[in-house]
Amino acid sequence: MTTEAGRGQEAMKVSDYPTAIQHLTAALRTSKSPLWLIQRSTAYQRTGQHDLSLIDADNALLASMDRGKRDLIATSYFRRAVALHGLGRFGDARLCLTWCHKRNDKEKGLTIWMAKVKGDYEKAGGDDAECNKTTVKEVPDKPEEVTADVAPKEEEKAPVAKKAPAVAVTPVAQNPTPKEKIRTEWYQSTATVTIEVFAKGVPKENAEVKIEEGSLDVSFPIASSDSTYDYTLSPLFSKIDASKSTFRITPHKIEIVLHKSLPGLKWSSLEGTEPIPSTTTEEPAAKIPDAVLKADKAPSYPTSSKSGPKNWDTVLQDEKEDEGEEVDDFFKKLYKNADPDTRRAMMKSYQESNGTSLSTVWSDVGSKTFETTPPDGMEAKKWNS
């Protein structure tokens, strides 16, 4: 037998939100389930009834806390944020998303809504805008309950918004934030860590943001006090990919996005305790095998040739004269200027083939085993041990 809650959920699936509100309201008369409150909050929000959506989200949060439902606590904060955004309270919405992120950084839709609210927050004027002031409480007071199956009338479902006349907006110069009032916030996803330095009027031409694998340095002058603001994290909690990390300076803040070298690792703080060595330093050159460098006397190999073992110096003498470069110099230069993979390829091919092959392409060498392949007319033999 289908319950009222079940009918409400089926109506949600087909986007019949007025019907969903009616069935969920009937179900909530029997039990104040936080899940049903969250679902009805969603239905109210999608019919444009943001005030009722907020009431249900607040009640869902209180009910989830009473029952210890951690996942529903995070979802309740998310629904509060969406409802507050619909009411034009961008500062409160932003704060609720932060509380949601602390409890479940993988909440469905969280990343998209954080970006959306952040964009609207900045467009509204940043910290000075009235709609960005924060008054919301992390644990709300007990709100009134929605007992009627309120649904918008058919003619009210899609009100036509009137366009306001276009008004030219003149950019207002931002007064620099005093040094003592500059604050920072951070949050993370599976792949990135975002740090925000909230400071107005940062001079782009004089600001310095230095991102390295194990550290971050931010510095810019404060015009109003002839002082400098410095923000340093060293070492970071974990290694980052400096080449992918970015920053941008807006009229209200500096936003820095660090790309984790280990995606999926959850940072418990911004700073760590162990130094992070840089991998950009030049690696010491590997010792070149004597057999490669000593071209003055190349090895002789066992052979069935009637003329006996071949001396490769003699065989290659004509070629050396044509090239105008000693084999010794050639191998030294080739090995010295090669990247690590090329060096590995040279070492592996030369050693495994007993000096009869030399390859510089690691993608071909890595999974291949080299056999001893002397020139035509010669035969390789193993020395008796």
Side-chain angles (χ1 to χ4, degrees), residues 20-77:
I21 291 171
Q22 292 174 4
H23 290 301
L24 288 169
T25 299
L28 286 165
R29 293 192 185 103
T30 62
S31 173
K32 300 303 178 187
S33 164
L35 177 60
W36 298 347
L37 285 165
I38 288 170
Q39 290 171 340
R40 193 173 68 172
S41 174
T42 304
Y44 278 138
Q45 178 255 325
R46 291 177 182 172
T47 55
Q49 301 177 91
H50 303 294
D51 51 346
L52 298 179
S53 177
L54 179 60
I55 292 172
D56 270 359
D58 286 348
N59 280 319
L61 176 60
L62 295 173
S64 299
M65 289 179 168
D66 288 342
R67 302 186 187 192
K69 300 287 188 180
R70 184 176 179 83
D71 56 333
L72 294 182
I73 290 174
T75 304
S76 298
Y77 277 120

Side-chain angles (χ1 to χ4, degrees), residues 309-328:
K310 292 286 186 181
N311 185 315
W312 292 108
D313 274 343
T314 303
V315 174
L316 296 174
Q317 187 63 39
D318 293 338
E319 293 185 16
K320 286 196 291 182
E321 292 175 358
D322 291 339
E323 292 170 0
E325 183 178 48
E326 294 293 330
V327 173
D328 185 21

Side-chain angles (χ1 to χ4, degrees), residues 114-182:
M114 288 184 79
K116 178 177 177 61
V117 171
K118 182 170 69 172
D120 290 340
Y121 182 95
E122 293 180 355
K123 287 179 183 177
D127 295 342
D128 291 337
E130 189 63 31
C131 61
N132 291 341
K133 304 296 182 184
T134 54
T135 58
V136 69
K137 296 180 180 179
E138 187 168 4
V139 180
D141 297 327
K142 177 67 176 175
E144 60 180 297
E145 293 184 4
V146 182
T147 55
D149 52 345
V150 182
K153 296 178 182 178
E154 194 68 30
E155 62 272 15
E156 294 176 351
K157 285 184 184 177
V160 178
K162 294 182 179 180
K163 287 187 177 181
V167 178
V169 179
T170 303
V172 179
Q174 296 291 334
N175 292 323
T177 303
K179 186 174 181 179
E180 63 276 8
K181 290 189 177 181
I182 296 175

Side-chain angles (χ1 to χ4, degrees), residues 85 88-98 113-135 174 183 185 196 198-200 248 250-253 255:
H85 178 271
R89 294 166 58 181
F90 303 137
D92 286 339
R94 190 163 172 261
L95 192 53
C96 283
L97 289 174
T98 301
W113 272 93
M114 288 184 79
K116 178 177 177 61
V117 171
K118 182 170 69 172
D120 290 340
Y121 182 95
E122 293 180 355
K123 287 179 183 177
D127 295 342
D128 291 337
E130 189 63 31
C131 61
N132 291 341
K133 304 296 182 184
T134 54
T135 58
Q174 296 291 334
R183 60 186 176 86
E185 290 184 7
E196 296 176 324
F198 291 96
K200 296 177 184 176
R248 66 188 184 105
T250 74
H252 307 285
K253 66 179 178 180
E255 180 183 84

Side-chain angles (χ1 to χ4, degrees), residues 69-292:
K69 300 287 188 180
R70 184 176 179 83
D71 56 333
L72 294 182
I73 290 174
T75 304
S76 298
Y77 277 120
F78 179 75
R79 295 315 318 173
R80 292 179 82 197
V82 175
L84 287 164
H85 178 271
L87 293 170
R89 294 166 58 181
F90 303 137
D92 286 339
R94 190 163 172 261
L95 192 53
C96 283
L97 289 174
T98 301
W99 292 330
C100 173
H101 186 272
K102 287 181 180 178
R103 287 160 176 82
N104 181 14
D105 58 3
K106 295 181 176 62
E107 178 70 34
K108 184 177 180 181
L110 178 61
T111 303
I112 295 174
W113 272 93
M114 288 184 79
K116 178 177 177 61
V117 171
K118 182 170 69 172
D120 290 340
Y121 182 95
E122 293 180 355
K123 287 179 183 177
D127 295 342
D128 291 337
E130 189 63 31
C131 61
N132 291 341
K133 304 296 182 184
T134 54
T135 58
V136 69
K137 296 180 180 179
E138 187 168 4
V139 180
D141 297 327
K142 177 67 176 175
E144 60 180 297
E145 293 184 4
V146 182
T147 55
D149 52 345
V150 182
K153 296 178 182 178
E154 194 68 30
E155 62 272 15
E156 294 176 351
K157 285 184 184 177
V160 178
K162 294 182 179 180
K163 287 187 177 181
V167 178
V169 179
T170 303
V172 179
Q174 296 291 334
N175 292 323
T177 303
K179 186 174 181 179
E180 63 276 8
K181 290 189 177 181
I182 296 175
R183 60 186 176 86
T184 61
E185 290 184 7
W186 72 283
Y187 55 89
Q188 63 182 309
S189 66
T190 55
T192 62
V193 174
T194 301
I195 303 169
E196 296 176 324
V197 181
F198 291 96
K200 296 177 184 176
V202 175
K204 293 183 179 181
E205 65 279 4
N206 296 324
E208 182 178 354
V209 180
K210 187 177 182 181
I211 303 174
E212 297 184 347
E213 292 179 340
S215 64
L216 170 68
D217 290 289
V218 179
S219 177
F220 56 87
I222 308 294
S224 58
S225 61
D226 293 326
S227 61
T228 301
Y229 176 82
D230 293 296
Y231 179 74
T232 301
L233 297 172
S234 180
L236 292 169
F237 181 82
S238 182
K239 184 178 175 181
I240 63 167
D241 188 336
S243 64
K244 293 182 180 179
S245 301
T246 59
F247 73 91
R248 66 188 184 105
I249 301 175
T250 74
H252 307 285
K253 66 179 178 180
I254 300 176
E255 180 183 84
I256 304 156
V257 180
L258 307 178
H259 277 257
K260 299 177 181 178
S261 287
L262 296 174
L265 175 65
K266 187 172 183 179
W267 290 24
S268 58
S269 63
L270 287 174
E271 288 192 283
T273 56
E274 297 294 330
I276 299 175
S278 174
T279 58
T280 58
T281 55
E282 185 176 347
E283 297 181 1
K287 181 176 175 59
I288 304 175
D290 291 339
V292 174

